[in-house]
Amino acid sequence: MATTVLHGCDLIDGTGAEPRHDVDIVLTDGMVREIVPTRPAETYGTVTLVEASGQLAIPGLINNHTHGTAYGPLFPSGHQALPPEQVRANLDRHLLEGTTTVLCVDGFVTAEGLARTNDDHPLTVKLASCNTPACLEAATVADGGGLTGEARAFTARQAVEAGAVALGEIGAGHTLGGGGASYLYIPAEVARRTGVTITARQADALKVAVLGRHISASSFDKDAVEEALEGAGLTGKLSVEEVREMVSDIVLPAFDIALHGLAEAADYARRVEVPVLVHNAAASMTQVAAIAKTGVPLIAGHSNHSSFELREALQHAERLKELGATIDLSTLDTFGARRLTNGPELLYAMFEAGLVDTISTDYAGGHHDPILLAIDRAGKAGVVRLPAAIAMATAHVADAVPGVAPRRGRVVPGAVADLVLTDPVELPRVRTVIIGGEIVVRDGARA
Ligand SMILES: [Zn+2]
């Protein structure tokens, strides 16, 4: 029997319980065997001993909202697949941040693409599917550049039969006029027409000026468009009318189809008995609330989306929570890049209001912040207690999406040995990651 002992660490076990100090965690054959008060190293004989005094053990994080983490079409808009080495780099990044399981919510990845991904990387990747008729149509209209024949043919029902654990992401920033339009499609079209490279935030300002936060043609605001054009250095290069037409053509054709896709996917989810994970943002909030009322197991993704105003987000999340939905919070690019978010105010407010069930990263145009960074900062700001926050990134995710990480998310005897050792004072400084009892990250680098 292969035994590893994490020696003399502190432990936050994912159940929400208070930290335990100076324990030994004994792992045997890929499972957690026991957790005992620390004893002298010699008493263990021939085992792999990981000296861990002064370190904090937590369960491996389970991230329910990632993109670009499996081989296949990117995003629920069926965008061109990333090169395989970029997918592996994305997985490395999640792994080094202490994540041991990710749910890829790109939505059109096939079982074959998933299997190849898992063969190539130690992190456990699970699949969600968004291949329902309306979501496929929305993807085709919005983009579809990466949708191979196999990807199109692999329906949500087949995906669930092949092991997909959720439907999602239903709607997305790419089909519902959210972040995907702002960091991808609008800048690309502006560059094509004018040769000018604009930032995600500048593109977002153009979008909101033309269609408003809730995405509606009637929200058009000429003065705001002029201001946004100036802010982006585009005055004289694009007229107000050209911007109106351009933004509308990018966002609106897929929008109503994708909105319809939300209700359709909820229906599918009920039939195939998996949770449905939806793009929850200002533009989709009415439909998301309507789905929640039907009682389907619902993950309201990134409920702190930057398109919400603060009070709106809190009230909406409160209502969804009353209806039984899981309120997911995404780190987005809140602390680092801030290309589309304005900082942690909403994230902190959601913690303080006790609304958060799960914590994920989402993609944020490739600039997501680590989950442990968000937990660390929120803990230090005093808006959430550490054991509760760790549970939101581990046990609560495993419970909310039953197939995503069976027997994981809690460091208790009998659980799969997915664990992280990190710095208790600076949580993002992950030192060791163990998956199924194997050390896959040592001294903060791939082992
Ligand atoms: Zn989304």
mmCIF file of all heavy atoms in Angstrom, residues 65 67 169 171-173 278-280 301-302 305 362, ligand 1:
data_model
loop_
_atom_site.group_PDB
_atom_site.id
_atom_site.type_symbol
_atom_site.label_atom_id
_atom_site.label_comp_id
_atom_site.label_asym_id
_atom_site.label_seq_id
_atom_site.Cartn_x
_atom_site.Cartn_y
_atom_site.Cartn_z
ATOM 1 N N HIS A 65 -16.841 26.611 -13.172
ATOM 2 C CA HIS A 65 -17.072 27.483 -14.344
ATOM 3 C C HIS A 65 -15.739 27.860 -14.984
ATOM 4 O O HIS A 65 -15.110 28.843 -14.612
ATOM 5 C CB HIS A 65 -17.833 28.743 -13.903
ATOM 6 C CG HIS A 65 -18.440 29.502 -15.052
ATOM 7 N ND1 HIS A 65 -19.731 29.991 -15.037
ATOM 8 C CD2 HIS A 65 -17.940 29.863 -16.248
ATOM 9 C CE1 HIS A 65 -19.991 30.607 -16.170
ATOM 10 N NE2 HIS A 65 -18.906 30.567 -16.927
ATOM 11 N N HIS A 67 -13.493 27.917 -18.902
ATOM 12 C CA HIS A 67 -13.480 27.810 -20.368
ATOM 13 C C HIS A 67 -12.046 27.547 -20.802
ATOM 14 O O HIS A 67 -11.091 27.881 -20.099
ATOM 15 C CB HIS A 67 -13.987 29.104 -21.004
ATOM 16 C CG HIS A 67 -15.403 29.449 -20.652
ATOM 17 N ND1 HIS A 67 -16.494 28.859 -21.263
ATOM 18 C CD2 HIS A 67 -15.918 30.339 -19.761
ATOM 19 C CE1 HIS A 67 -17.605 29.380 -20.750
ATOM 20 N NE2 HIS A 67 -17.289 30.275 -19.830
ATOM 21 N N GLU A 169 -22.300 26.044 -20.310
ATOM 22 C CA GLU A 169 -22.929 27.260 -19.846
ATOM 23 C C GLU A 169 -24.039 27.607 -20.814
ATOM 24 O O GLU A 169 -23.797 27.707 -22.015
ATOM 25 C CB GLU A 169 -21.905 28.407 -19.778
ATOM 26 C CG GLU A 169 -22.487 29.704 -19.265
ATOM 27 C CD GLU A 169 -21.425 30.831 -19.255
ATOM 28 O OE1 GLU A 169 -20.276 30.614 -19.671
ATOM 29 O OE2 GLU A 169 -21.779 31.949 -18.835
ATOM 30 N N GLY A 171 -26.391 30.085 -22.532
ATOM 31 C CA GLY A 171 -26.142 31.491 -22.780
ATOM 32 C C GLY A 171 -24.704 31.725 -22.342
ATOM 33 O O GLY A 171 -24.095 30.900 -21.673
ATOM 34 N N ALA A 172 -24.137 32.812 -22.769
ATOM 35 C CA ALA A 172 -22.770 33.146 -22.364
ATOM 36 C C ALA A 172 -22.551 34.581 -22.770
ATOM 37 O O ALA A 172 -23.363 35.153 -23.499
ATOM 38 C CB ALA A 172 -21.755 32.241 -23.072
ATOM 39 N N GLY A 173 -21.453 35.116 -22.296
ATOM 40 C CA GLY A 173 -21.111 36.464 -22.709
ATOM 41 C C GLY A 173 -20.976 36.579 -24.217
ATOM 42 O O GLY A 173 -21.052 37.661 -24.775
ATOM 43 N N VAL A 278 -26.251 28.430 -15.776
ATOM 44 C CA VAL A 278 -26.621 29.490 -16.720
ATOM 45 C C VAL A 278 -25.761 30.733 -16.555
ATOM 46 O O VAL A 278 -25.204 31.002 -15.488
ATOM 47 C CB VAL A 278 -28.112 29.892 -16.546
ATOM 48 C CG1 VAL A 278 -29.009 28.697 -16.792
ATOM 49 C CG2 VAL A 278 -28.373 30.508 -15.178
ATOM 50 N N HIS A 279 -25.681 31.469 -17.649
ATOM 51 C CA HIS A 279 -25.031 32.783 -17.675
ATOM 52 C C HIS A 279 -25.997 33.766 -17.009
ATOM 53 O O HIS A 279 -27.029 34.117 -17.568
ATOM 54 C CB HIS A 279 -24.774 33.166 -19.131
ATOM 55 C CG HIS A 279 -24.216 34.533 -19.321
ATOM 56 N ND1 HIS A 279 -22.871 34.797 -19.225
ATOM 57 C CD2 HIS A 279 -24.812 35.711 -19.610
ATOM 58 C CE1 HIS A 279 -22.663 36.091 -19.455
ATOM 59 N NE2 HIS A 279 -23.825 36.670 -19.691
ATOM 60 N N ASN A 280 -25.650 34.167 -15.801
ATOM 61 C CA ASN A 280 -26.517 35.065 -15.035
ATOM 62 C C ASN A 280 -25.924 36.469 -15.089
ATOM 63 O O ASN A 280 -24.867 36.718 -14.518
ATOM 64 C CB ASN A 280 -26.611 34.562 -13.592
ATOM 65 C CG ASN A 280 -27.601 35.351 -12.754
ATOM 66 O OD1 ASN A 280 -28.576 35.892 -13.285
ATOM 67 N ND2 ASN A 280 -27.366 35.416 -11.459
ATOM 68 N N GLY A 301 -24.648 31.167 -12.639
ATOM 69 C CA GLY A 301 -23.213 31.413 -12.821
ATOM 70 C C GLY A 301 -22.862 32.885 -12.670
ATOM 71 O O GLY A 301 -23.661 33.763 -12.970
ATOM 72 N N HIS A 302 -21.661 33.117 -12.185
ATOM 73 C CA HIS A 302 -21.135 34.480 -11.979
ATOM 74 C C HIS A 302 -22.214 35.498 -11.622
ATOM 75 O O HIS A 302 -22.413 36.478 -12.343
ATOM 76 C CB HIS A 302 -20.286 34.948 -13.164
ATOM 77 C CG HIS A 302 -20.906 34.755 -14.531
ATOM 78 N ND1 HIS A 302 -22.093 35.333 -14.895
ATOM 79 C CD2 HIS A 302 -20.492 34.052 -15.608
ATOM 80 C CE1 HIS A 302 -22.376 34.987 -16.137
ATOM 81 N NE2 HIS A 302 -21.421 34.211 -16.586
ATOM 82 N N HIS A 305 -21.724 39.274 -11.873
ATOM 83 C CA HIS A 305 -21.309 39.734 -13.204
ATOM 84 C C HIS A 305 -21.233 41.265 -13.265
ATOM 85 O O HIS A 305 -22.043 41.956 -12.654
ATOM 86 C CB HIS A 305 -22.327 39.229 -14.229
ATOM 87 C CG HIS A 305 -21.863 39.307 -15.642
ATOM 88 N ND1 HIS A 305 -22.135 40.385 -16.459
ATOM 89 C CD2 HIS A 305 -21.141 38.441 -16.388
ATOM 90 C CE1 HIS A 305 -21.606 40.165 -17.648
ATOM 91 N NE2 HIS A 305 -20.996 38.996 -17.636
ATOM 92 N N ASP A 362 -14.632 31.510 -13.874
ATOM 93 C CA ASP A 362 -14.958 31.927 -15.238
ATOM 94 C C ASP A 362 -13.658 32.229 -15.986
ATOM 95 O O ASP A 362 -12.568 31.895 -15.491
ATOM 96 C CB ASP A 362 -15.956 33.091 -15.262
ATOM 97 C CG ASP A 362 -16.680 33.194 -16.614
ATOM 98 O OD1 ASP A 362 -16.394 32.389 -17.522
ATOM 99 O OD2 ASP A 362 -17.543 34.089 -16.754
HETATM 100 ZN ZN ZN B 1 -21.039 33.538 -18.503
#
